[in-house]
Amino acid sequence: MKKKVIIDCDPGMDDSAAIILALKSPELDVQAITTVAGNYPIDITSSNARKVLELLGRTDIPVARGCGHPLVRPAPNDPFTHGRDGQGENFLPAPTMPLADEHAVDLIIRTARANPGELWLLCLAPMTNLALALRKEPELTELLAGVIAISGAFGLNEYAFLNGTGDNPQSEWNVYFDPEAAKVVYESGVDLVALGLDVATHFDVNFSQQDLDDFENSPNPECRFLRQAIRFNNGRGFQSYCTIIDCMAVGYAVDPSLVETMTGKVGVETRGELTLGMTVLDRRHHHTWSHLPDVRIGKSADYGRFLALLKERFLA
Ligand SMILES: [Ca+2]
């Protein structure tokens, strides 16, 4: 049976790539896309999500606009850029499909109620929508099959530190943008798999020149979209890995054996000057803080299979 998913996102070029990967994966049934402010303001992320659907001719999938601001604090500036259009300067045409007539939070709750125990939320962005949905409908923890999130950095390896995406030394962008929302979600008891920088931003995981040539020469518009986004990143000194970060959550939804996970006690820092948004894994043998929630986190991935899956699906 296909896995029913909602993609909660802030496209973003890697969100855009993740939406494409999901739509081209027969294992997944994409019920809706919900948008949130994060990489870009809500008007742009809501427009970009629809641009991707129109690129793939999938305007049957509703896009519901969500929260335009973090729960508590002002939106921070992103030290990373996804280009003038937020999609690696692909400059896709302005969307013509309308937004859904429903707020993202309500759409998530309604769809979860209609599919109890069957709906997965793929959270590729700050967790503002999900946190509010959990506050509005606490039973969401039971109604959802689970949440697969690109979220946090757990200090399991050097990638957790060397490639931090929030604007301080110890944070990952999605949590840094709205740490209070992440705290609500982490502490909610929802079945959460958090794929953090440790597993989703290996900067040595990149497409080969042959892969890039294959994308370039493909008749599929989504391949040329990906190729242009990678070219944009290359022009700024980044390799292709940062074009596909959010794809890891979709890859895990398609095939959980792609990622090895572990369970540990994790707290979300909401006050630190140098560490705002840090996801702290309590790894102590003794005196562990038992009040911290247990969270399943990504430890390592089969990157060869991950890249092969991406390539196969984009070229299909
Ligand atoms: Ca994202």
Side-chain angles (χ1 to χ4, degrees):
M1 201 174 76
K2 288 189 177 207
K3 207 177 255 183
K4 292 177 182 170
V5 301
I6 287 178
I7 303 174
D8 187 51
C9 58
D10 60 343
M13 54 188 158
D14 58 329
D15 303 77
S16 301
I19 292 169
I20 294 167
L21 178 63
L23 293 177
K24 298 196 76 177
S25 291
E27 299 87 349
L28 304 181
D29 174 5
V30 181
Q31 299 270 310
I33 293 175
T34 52
T35 59
V36 69
N39 288 324
Y40 281 78
I42 188 71
D43 284 343
I44 296 178
T45 62
S46 301
S47 171
N48 284 350
R50 288 177 288 157
K51 287 180 182 178
V52 177
L53 291 183
E54 292 187 0
L55 183 73
L56 272 77
R58 291 302 308 274
T59 53
D60 56 305
I61 297 174
V63 176
R65 177 185 163 111
C67 299
H69 298 279
L71 292 183
V72 175
R73 57 189 73 239
N77 288 325
D78 189 348
F80 185 78
T81 177
H82 295 243
R84 280 171 287 165
D85 62 347
Q87 291 182 308
E89 307 203 336
N90 267 280
F91 299 116
L92 296 175
T96 56
M97 68 177 283
L99 285 165
D101 224 6
E102 192 177 21
H103 192 277
V105 168
D106 296 316
L107 184 145
I108 290 168
I109 293 170
R110 180 179 56 78
T111 311
R113 282 179 182 150
N115 300 277
E118 289 182 3
L119 180 70
W120 291 81
L121 192 72
L122 308 186
C123 191
L124 316 179
M127 290 173 151
T128 321
N129 288 339
L130 178 54
L132 276 183
L134 284 161
R135 284 293 191 249
K136 188 169 184 182
E137 174 49 283
E139 286 182 20
L140 212 52
T141 55
E142 303 302 320
L143 289 169
L144 286 173
V147 176
I148 303 169
I150 299 295
S151 180
F154 303 97
L156 298 176
N157 55 43
E158 65 177 1
Y159 299 97
F161 304 104
L162 297 180
N163 210 25
T165 47
D167 196 13
N168 69 32
Q170 294 290 342
S171 64
E172 178 273 336
W173 172 254
N174 289 340
V175 180
Y176 175 74
F177 187 90
D178 195 345
E180 285 78 12
K183 186 175 164 67
V184 167
V185 174
Y186 277 57
E187 294 179 356
S188 69
V190 75
D191 186 352
L192 170 67
V193 181
L195 306 177
L197 300 179
D198 320 65
V199 71
T201 60
H202 283 214
F203 39 75
D204 40 13
V205 172
N206 292 294
F207 291 114
S208 69
Q209 188 56 49
Q210 182 64 54
D211 297 337
L212 298 179
D213 291 345
D214 290 347
F215 291 139
E216 181 89 46
N217 297 323
S218 166
N220 296 350
E222 61 273 23
C223 288
R224 294 196 293 279
F225 176 93
L226 183 65
R227 182 68 190 91
Q228 164 54 28
I230 291 170
R231 188 179 293 115
F232 170 78
N233 279 326
N234 290 160
R236 298 163 49 245
F238 290 93
Q239 297 299 305
S240 53
Y241 75 90
C242 57
T243 320
I244 56 172
I245 293 170
D246 287 345
C247 293
M248 183 67 81
V250 178
Y252 182 79
V254 168
D255 179 1
S257 78
L258 281 175
V259 182
E260 183 192 357
T261 61
M262 59 171 277
T263 298
K265 297 212 166 283
V266 175
V268 178
E269 179 58 80
T270 56
R271 282 177 292 189
E273 181 186 354
L274 294 167
T275 56
L276 180 68
M278 187 177 185
T279 45
V280 180
L281 173 64
D282 192 343
R283 305 186 73 179
R284 290 174 292 179
H285 285 300
H286 305 288
H287 316 301
T288 314
W289 281 1
S290 57
H291 60 279
L292 292 176
D294 286 312
V295 179
R296 199 141 49 101
I297 59 181
K299 194 176 173 187
S300 64
D302 187 335
Y303 295 101
R305 282 172 56 220
F306 174 58
L307 289 179
L309 175 79
L310 272 162
K311 189 176 175 186
E312 176 217 314
R313 297 290 159 93
F314 270 78
L315 288 171

